[in-house]
Amino acid sequence: IVGRSDASAEMGGDLLDLLDHAGRIDLLVGDVSGHGVAAGVVMAMVKGAVRTRLHSDVPGAPGDLLRDLSRIVAESNAPEMFATMAAIRVHGDRGDVEIALGGHNPVLWWRAASAMLEDIENESLPLGVLAGETYPTRTISLDRGDMLVAYTDGLVEVFDRERRQLGMAGFRAIVGSEARACADGTTFIAGVMERVRAHGAISDDQTIAVVRALA
């Protein structure tokens, strides 16, 4: 599991966090609406709540975590704020992966055997938007060489000098091309970032994380 997060301002509103606890690894990739200090403060609050919950003896499924975080965002002192998040839990002892999304971009699943990308689609509203929103948890099994790619929209909503957006189709094409060529997650992320930046300058926080199956 590797990741990278580049802020577009002095204080960013993206979250990239990893916790290894009791035989499970939790990976969180999130994005608070807006930029700057306000977004950074809300994300810092969310990060603190994440760590408190995940270090408990009964952390619940990733979808349960997002439900609780949604309430925290809604009750913050910035009612106009909302957040999107991908919560990925890797079970080292079982070999499966649980995924829940809260208003977030699809997690991209690189299937090494078929050399194809599959979208794990979001089914829920962002965190903090609607009280009582549910966040389903999906369980998958990765085969050797498979990768899960979680990212924020700063890597998708990039414009070139003629104001043409990279967009989801362009980003998926970059991910697929780099997945075919890469030898490891770190090389993959570097390649994706380089090609996104070649399309246009950074104007929003950019975060990407990869879970790669080695066996």
Side-chain angles (χ1 to χ4, degrees), residues 4 58 69 73-74 95 102 106 118-119 139 141 169 185 215:
R4 174 176 165 181
V58 187
L69 292 178
V73 173
E118 178 179 326
D119 292 352
T139 302
S141 295

Side-chain angles (χ1 to χ4, degrees), residues 6 11 20 51 63 78 153 163-164 188 192 201:
D6 294 346
M11 178 177 283
D20 188 350
R51 286 185 166 266
D153 58 15
R163 300 301 297 167
R164 293 175 299 193
F188 168 81
V192 169

Side-chain angles (χ1 to χ4, degrees), residues 66-138:
L66 295 188
R67 180 198 61 211
D68 292 347
L69 292 178
S70 181
R71 184 177 66 252
I72 291 170
V73 173
E75 294 174 353
S76 72
N77 292 324
E80 75 282 359
M81 289 284 188
F82 62 88
T84 71
M85 189 167 294
I88 301 173
R89 177 170 297 162
V90 180
H91 294 275
D93 54 345
R94 304 199 316 240
D96 59 2
V97 179
E98 294 178 292
I99 302 171
L101 298 172
H104 204 75
N105 294 313
V107 170
L108 301 180
W109 182 2
W110 171 253
R111 309 291 294 265
S114 60
M116 298 289 290
L117 274 177
E118 178 179 326
D119 292 352
I120 299 177
E121 296 281 1
N122 170 69
E123 300 176 9
S124 304
L125 293 171
L127 312 184
V129 172
L130 181 65
E133 177 72 349
T134 59
Y135 300 92
T137 297
R138 175 176 174 178

